[in-house]
């Protein structure tokens, strides 16, 4: 047990084995405060508030910082009460479409035509022409028919809401251990097993055991994984899934628009775009807006539209979503944005490796700079801020306790000067801290 000291009381946290005082919050993570034994909500929030103050005092609070400007390669952020410009690697606006004039104009035109909101759910008056155009556009993007898409107000609910209606107590969801939190939430009311990340042998073991026990077996993977930036073994997983009469869902939020010969994502180069049972994604990254989508066959799509609680009880996306339709077109109309993005990725990762940093197996716009120790990772985040670089330290439970990292999101709007400034900062930091390097 860990005992957290606050106001002359010791509080118990069951996930550790040593005594921790207020001065020892370096050993704590956000997860330790989720459900502390014997503490009510007021006591739990009190000790967590002290932990947040500890992080602020150590310059580790790189979270919920107010941005004064839009998503871009350089942003103005208020940190510790001061406004300053920073080179930013916190945005997943990979192609920079949030700032594209054609995308912004399409969103403005949508508002001018329809107003600022819909004020209704899809089933009772909230389904407008632009919603139908968006469904048809994203379906066509993946080579599907117009009635094979369902759109949601967020990418998170595209996963959580659709899975909650598809997967019931008689079914089983089999998840790669690295899938997004929205997938886990969506599987809260069904049976669930996880397999080791990208481990085909472990997956097959679970499929064998589950083959005759459940009504529906759904394997769920990411196309590109959000913390390591590595790609799923999609072809091999697809073959295993079909061998055991299961279904496959691929959440490709970090692959679409970036990977594939024409930007269709992880499934394009493996010729599985028309074969995978369910594809999910978001409009908040490559397409520079807000919302999510599910691509599947027309019967499953209709089932989700009329059975998902989010589709029944939540208002639809606003008219500014018309900007998404233009962003989807730009993937083909202006391929230079993808080319610039990959130029930046190759330059930045090559130089990070030459500096000795461990970036794992990334092959995408997600670039993890793995530090290991969570407190040292927080120190690196603070030192980057001091040098004008805005990044996200990623700690447990988003990653394993000993696998903390600085997560960098590359965009097409970064230029060489931005990247060199950042590389120089990492080189300087490595000369000040004893950071474990890749051997």
């Amino acid at each position: 047990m860990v005992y957290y000291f606050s106001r002359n009381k010791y509080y118990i946290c069951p996930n550790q084995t040593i005594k921790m005082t207020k001065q020892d919050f370096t050993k704590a993570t956000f997860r330790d405060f989720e459900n502390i034994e014997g503490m009510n909500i007021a006591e739990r929030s009190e000790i967590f508030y002290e932990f947040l103050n500890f992080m602020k005092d150590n310059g580790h609070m790189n979270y919920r910082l107010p941005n004064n400007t839009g998503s871009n390669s350089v942003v103005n952020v208020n940190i510790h009460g001061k406004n300053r410009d920073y080179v930013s690697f916190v945005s997943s606006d990979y192609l920079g479409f949030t700032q594209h004039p054609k995308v912004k104009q399409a969103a403005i035109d949508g508002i001018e035509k329809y107003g600022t909101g819909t004020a209704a759910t899809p089933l009772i008056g909230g389904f407008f022409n632009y919603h139908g155009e968006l469904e048809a556009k994203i379906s066509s993007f993946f080579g599907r028919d117009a009635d094979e898409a369902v759109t949601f107000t967020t990418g998170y609910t595209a996963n959580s809401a659709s899975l909650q209606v598809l997967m019931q107590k008689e079914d089983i969801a089999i998840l790669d251990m690295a899938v997004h939190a929205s997938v886990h939430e969506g599987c809260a009311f069904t049976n669930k097993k996880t397999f080791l990340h990208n481990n085909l042998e472990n997956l097959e073991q679970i499929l064998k055991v589950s083959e005759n026990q459940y009504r529906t077996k759904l394997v769920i993977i990411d196309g590109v994984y959000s913390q390591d930036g590595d790609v799923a073994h999609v072809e091999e997983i697809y073959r295993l899934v079909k061998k055991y009469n299961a279904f496959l869902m691929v959440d490709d939020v970090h692959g679409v628009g970036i990977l594939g010969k024409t930007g269709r994502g992880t499934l394009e180069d493996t010729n599985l775009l028309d074969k995978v049972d369910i594809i999910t994604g978001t409009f908040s990254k490559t397409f520079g807006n807000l919302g999510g989508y599910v691509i599947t066959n027309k019967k499953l799509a209709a089932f989700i539209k009329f059975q998902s609680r989010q589709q029944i009880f939540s208002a639809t996306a606003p008219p500014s979503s018309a900007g998404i339709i233009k962003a989807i077109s730009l993937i083909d109309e202006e391929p230079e944005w993808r080319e610039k993005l990959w130029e930046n990725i190759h330059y930045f990762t090559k130089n990070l490796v030459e500096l000795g940093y461990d970036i794992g197996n990334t092959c995408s716009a997600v670039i993890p700079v793995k530090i290991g120790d969570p407190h040292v990772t927080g120190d690196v985040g603070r030192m980057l801020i001091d040098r004008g670089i805005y990044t996200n330290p990623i700690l447990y439970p988003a990653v394993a306790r000993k696998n903390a990292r600085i997560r960098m999101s590359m965009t097409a709007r970064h230029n060489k000067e931005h990247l060199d400034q950042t590389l120089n900062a990492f080189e300087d930091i490595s000369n000040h801290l004893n950071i474990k390097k890749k051997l």
Side-chain angles (χ1 to χ4, degrees), residues 91-103:
S91 170
S92 297
D93 181 20
Y94 297 126
L95 300 182
F97 283 176
T98 65
Q99 304 304 318
H100 196 293
K102 294 179 182 179
V103 174

Side-chain angles (χ1 to χ4, degrees), residues 91-95 97-98 134 138 141-142 150-160 180 182 222-224 226 249-258 263-264 279-295 321 324-325 327-328 331 366 407:
S91 170
S92 297
D93 181 20
Y94 297 126
L95 300 182
F97 283 176
T98 65
L134 179 55
I138 194 63
F141 181 78
F142 288 106
V150 189
T151 58
F152 287 81
T153 51
T154 70
Y156 193 102
T157 49
N159 282 337
S160 63
H180 193 262
S182 58
D222 284 5
V224 174
S226 63
M249 169 175 160
V250 179
D251 177 10
D252 205 19
V253 298
H254 296 281
V256 170
I258 295 111
R264 268 58 181 175
I279 303 169
T280 64
T282 183
F283 297 126
S284 66
K285 301 187 189 315
T286 292
F287 301 120
N289 206 294
L290 182 67
Y293 55 86
V294 176
I295 307 295
S321 300
I324 304 170
I325 299 170
I328 295 171
I331 300 293
V366 177
R407 182 180 182 270

Side-chain angles (χ1 to χ4, degrees), residues 13 23 49 83 98 132 147 163-164 183 232 288 292 377 398 403 406 414:
C13 180
Q23 285 72 35
Y49 195 76
N83 295 325
T98 65
D147 56 357
L163 284 168
Q164 283 178 19
V183 172
T377 302
N403 202 15
I406 301 293
H414 287 107

Side-chain angles (χ1 to χ4, degrees), residues 200-213:
L200 300 173
E201 182 178 349
N202 190 203
L203 171 59
E204 184 165 21
Q205 289 173 344
I206 297 172
L207 284 167
K208 280 182 179 178
V209 171
S210 306
E211 187 172 15
N212 298 313
Q213 293 189 35

